[in-house]
Amino acid sequence: MRLEKCWFCSSTVYPGHGIQFVRNDAKIFRFCRSKCHKNFKMKRNPRKVKWTKAYRRLHGKDMTQDSTFEFERKRNRPERYDRNLAEDVLKAIPKIDKIRVRREEKHHKNRMKGNKAKLLKEAARELEQGINLVKPPSVLQKDPSLTLPQIKVLVPQQQTEENRPMEE
Amino acid sequence: MAASFASKCSRVGHSLFGGLGNSLSGLVTTSQEIICNKFLSQQQQQQRSFIQMRTVLKVVDNSGAKKVMCIQPLKGRKGARLGDTIIASVKEAHPNGKVKKGKVVYGVVMRAAMQKGRCDGSEVKFDDNAVVLVDKQGQPIGTRVFGPVPHELRMKKHVKILTLAGHIA
C-alpha cells in the first residue's frame, strides 16, 4: 500500500480513491478527485491555479524547504520489516506532524506580519482624516489637544513655520 | 450503458426541475426532457465506453498490422475492457508484415480509454485503445510490444506479453 500525491493539487491520495491516468509515453498521472482530473483534462497548469500546493509553494505562500519534508521523501527500496522500527516510526509520525504544522504557522504569521513603518504611517493618516468621528470639528478648533500637530515644511519663500509641541 | 444513461437523465432531470422551480412543472413532456438532458450530458463529460463491434484499435506490436477493427468481443455482454481478448479484422497493415489486410485475428486489449477498477479500489485509464495480436492459444504473433502495458494481463495469464513489454503501468 502506498500513499500517492495528486499530480494536480499535491494532496495525498489514499487507497481506494482517485483515478490514475497513464499517458502513452508511460507517464502516470494520479488524481485525488474528479476536480483535479477535470482541471487536468482542461490542460490547466497547476502552477497557475490558485488553490493548488504547486501555486502556493511557487508564490511563497507556503514554506518550501524544511527538514520535516525529508521524512516524507519517496523511497523505492522496500525495508525489511522490523517491529521495533515500525513502532518507533508510528510514534514519530505525530510528533513530526506537530513540528511541521508549527513551522507552517510561523511561516504564515511572518508572511501576514506587514511592514511596521507603513502601518504606523497609515494609522496616523487615518487618525488625521477620521478625527471628526471622535469629536466634532467645532470642538476640535477650540481645544487643539486631540489633533496631531500640523507640520509645515519650510519652503524657500517667506512662510512661517508653526512650532507646536508634539502631544501624544 | 443504457442503464447509466437513464440514471444520469433522471439525476439531471431533477436538477433541472429544481432550477426552473414551479413554472414548468406541469408542462414539460418526457421527450423534451430527454432532449435537454442529452444536450447537457454531451457538454459535461466525454463518456468512455467498452470496446465493441466496429471499434477501431491501434496495434502496438510488430506483427505488421497498424489498425484493426473489432468484430467480436469474447466475454462480456456490453463489450471488451482492458485485458480482454477480442476478434478483430485487420484494416490497415504494413506492406511486408506477418499479417495482411483483411485477415481475421485475435487480439488482447492492451490499453483502453475506459477506466478499469483495480483491486485496491483505484481506477486506471489510458490515452487510447490499443491491442496486441495473438493467436488462438494466446501467444503473441509479434516479437515486440510498444508503449505502457497494464498489470491486469498477469491475472489473465498473458505473461508472455508482459515479458515483451518495455514499461508496465
Side-chain angles (χ1 to χ4, degrees):
Chain A
M1 184 191 83
R2 179 164 246 181
L3 299 179
E4 309 281 357
K5 291 277 175 197
C6 173
W7 185 83
F8 199 81
C9 64
S10 317
S11 62
T12 39
V13 187
Y14 282 86
H17 289 262
I19 289 191
Q20 243 182 39
F21 171 64
V22 185
R23 210 164 53 181
N24 280 348
D25 61 356
K27 184 155 163 67
I28 301 178
F29 297 90
R30 293 170 215 271
F31 304 105
C32 57
R33 56 201 197 280
S34 64
K35 176 180 181 180
C36 304
H37 189 32
K38 284 181 184 159
N39 272 300
F40 172 78
K41 283 198 274 194
M42 273 196 263
K43 299 194 175 182
R44 287 205 179 145
N45 187 355
R47 282 157 171 257
K48 291 192 167 182
V49 179
K50 294 250 167 85
W51 51 271
T52 56
K53 205 79 175 155
Y55 175 95
R56 291 188 66 87
R57 291 230 176 94
L58 188 69
H59 289 78
K61 314 277 185 191
D62 279 347
M63 62 178 184
T64 15
Q65 283 175 337
D66 197 37
S67 48
T68 44
F69 294 150
E70 298 292 310
F71 294 104
E72 280 187 42
R73 277 269 177 83
K74 184 176 181 186
R75 289 162 186 84
N76 283 320
R77 271 217 188 138
E79 301 243 341
R80 182 162 284 169
Y81 179 73
D82 179 17
R83 195 198 176 118
N84 296 324
L85 180 66
E87 256 186 58
D88 290 338
V89 167
L90 282 173
K91 281 202 199 119
I93 290 175
K95 267 194 226 165
I96 295 170
D97 272 349
K98 210 161 73 164
I99 296 173
R100 194 189 68 232
V101 164
R102 197 153 28 101
R103 289 189 191 173
E104 274 174 1
E105 282 174 358
K106 191 155 152 272
H107 179 273
H108 180 79
K109 208 160 74 125
N110 270 340
R111 184 161 71 89
M112 294 296 173
K113 220 165 36 178
N115 200 349
K116 201 100 190 268
K118 194 170 100 169
L119 285 172
L120 276 178
K121 212 167 78 173
E122 275 182 15
R125 193 159 151 265
E126 198 184 324
L127 179 62
E128 188 194 323
Q129 287 179 345
I131 199 69
N132 301 327
L133 292 169
V134 178
K135 285 235 165 153
S138 48
V139 175
L140 284 175
Q141 282 191 351
K142 287 185 227 160
D143 173 24
S145 64
L146 286 168
T147 55
L148 284 176
Q150 304 265 342
I151 302 170
K152 287 194 181 162
V153 177
L154 190 64
V155 174
Q157 281 153 4
Q158 259 95 34
Q159 265 203 354
T160 52
E161 189 183 330
E162 285 185 78
N163 284 320
R164 256 200 226 143
M166 279 286 276
E167 283 162 317
E168 280 301 311
Chain B
M1 263 301 285
S4 66
F5 183 70
S7 62
K8 206 169 182 178
C9 274
S10 60
R11 261 187 280 131
V12 179
H14 281 163
S15 68
L16 262 181
F17 268 122
L20 298 170
N22 298 322
S23 54
L24 290 178
S25 52
L27 304 173
V28 178
T29 61
T30 45
S31 59
Q32 277 185 0
E33 200 180 341
I34 290 168
I35 293 166
C36 291
N37 295 342
K38 202 169 173 187
F39 178 60
L40 272 172
S41 62
Q42 271 172 2
Q43 269 189 326
Q44 276 162 15
Q45 279 188 50
Q46 187 173 20
Q47 276 286 77
R48 304 290 195 169
S49 70
F50 299 87
I51 291 170
Q52 44 189 306
M53 196 189 298
R54 300 217 117 222
T55 306
V56 176
L57 301 112
K58 208 162 81 166
V59 177
V60 285
D61 57 6
N62 58 353
S63 57
K66 281 200 274 196
K67 290 250 157 79
V68 292
M69 182 187 285
C70 171
I71 49 183
Q72 188 69 249
L74 303 168
K75 262 201 178 195
R77 272 196 88 241
K78 300 184 216 174
R81 303 179 82 163
L82 194 64
D84 291 341
T85 347
I86 59 168
I87 305 180
S89 152
V90 178
K91 290 294 174 187
E92 214 182 290
H94 284 296
N96 34 354
K98 287 179 226 173
V99 164
K100 301 269 182 269
K101 183 177 154 186
K103 184 149 180 259
V104 172
V105 283
Y106 285 76
V108 170
V109 179
M110 189 78 14
R111 303 201 281 268
M114 178 168 164
Q115 65 266 21
K116 179 120 210 274
R118 289 229 161 128
C119 50
D120 67 346
S122 62
E123 296 192 320
V124 230
K125 56 154 65 166
F126 290 81
D127 213 356
D128 60 352
N129 299 317
V131 265
V132 158
L133 302 187
V134 288
D135 59 16
K136 256 207 160 149
Q137 277 70 42
Q139 304 302 311
I141 298 175
T143 52
R144 282 181 71 193
V145 162
F146 305 108
V149 159
H151 286 302
E152 273 77 2
L153 297 183
R154 197 178 288 270
M155 291 302 292
K156 309 268 183 178
K157 307 286 180 206
H158 292 123
V159 189
K160 203 86 192 298
I161 304 175
L162 278 175
T163 56
L164 294 171
H167 195 275
I168 302 186

